Amino acid sequence: MSSSAREPAERSASKPLRSAALALGIDLALVLLFAGIGRSSHERAATVLGLLDTAWPFIIGLGVSWLAARVARHPMAIIRAGLPIWVGSVVIGMLVRAATGAGTAIPFVIVATITLGVFLIGWRAIAALVMRLRTRTAA
């Protein structure tokens, strides 16, 4: 098989991997943004280590949820990806925080649930809308 015959197959095979990597990167960036906003609102030091200290339980929740829900197979799906990683990030993140003695006050749980829901489901909803609009204008 010539190299030119392999190129389209390789490109089509790498597209799902790129989509999954992009989606994971966006999810991770949004979890870090959530942690950064929280630190800022409580006037905590703006350091990388401080940000990671706040974010790591939710990053663990994100990672476990990505694996458990097999999100890489459908990374842009609102229900099959966004919903389980939102719930998993919050629940596992709060369980890890509780197990390590970090705060899990009810107002924080509510804010985390709402913010991570808007972030992790919201960007997928916006992406779906953009794709739908592109498909309409292309037709």
Side-chain angles (χ1 to χ4, degrees):
M1 181 184 302
S2 72
S3 65
S4 62
R6 278 193 311 251
E7 287 176 14
E10 288 172 1
R11 268 186 259 143
S12 66
S14 68
K15 187 177 179 185
L17 182 58
R18 279 195 310 257
S19 293
L22 177 62
L24 180 59
I26 292 169
D27 287 341
L28 183 57
L30 290 170
V31 168
L32 289 169
L33 178 62
F34 158 71
I37 291 169
R39 289 186 64 79
S40 173
S41 69
H42 293 286
E43 299 177 4
R44 298 257 174 94
T47 65
V48 173
L49 289 178
L51 178 65
L52 293 175
D53 185 51
T54 301
W56 77 269
F58 301 101
I59 293 171
I60 288 176
L62 179 73
V64 169
S65 301
W66 256 78
L67 294 173
R70 298 181 179 177
V71 171
R73 293 182 178 179
H74 41 79
M76 305 298 281
I78 295 169
I79 302 298
R80 293 180 63 198
L83 188 61
I85 62 171
W86 166 43
V87 172
S89 295
V90 172
V91 170
I92 294 168
M94 291 300 170
L95 289 172
V96 170
R97 284 181 63 88
T100 59
T104 55
I106 295 298
F108 175 61
V109 174
I110 293 168
V111 169
T113 301
I114 292 169
T115 304
L116 288 172
V118 168
F119 284 1
L120 298 173
I121 293 175
W123 81 261
R124 286 176 170 83
I126 292 168
L129 179 62
V130 168
M131 294 303 290
R132 191 170 297 131
L133 292 172
R134 278 189 182 171
T135 302
R136 261 191 217 157
T137 58

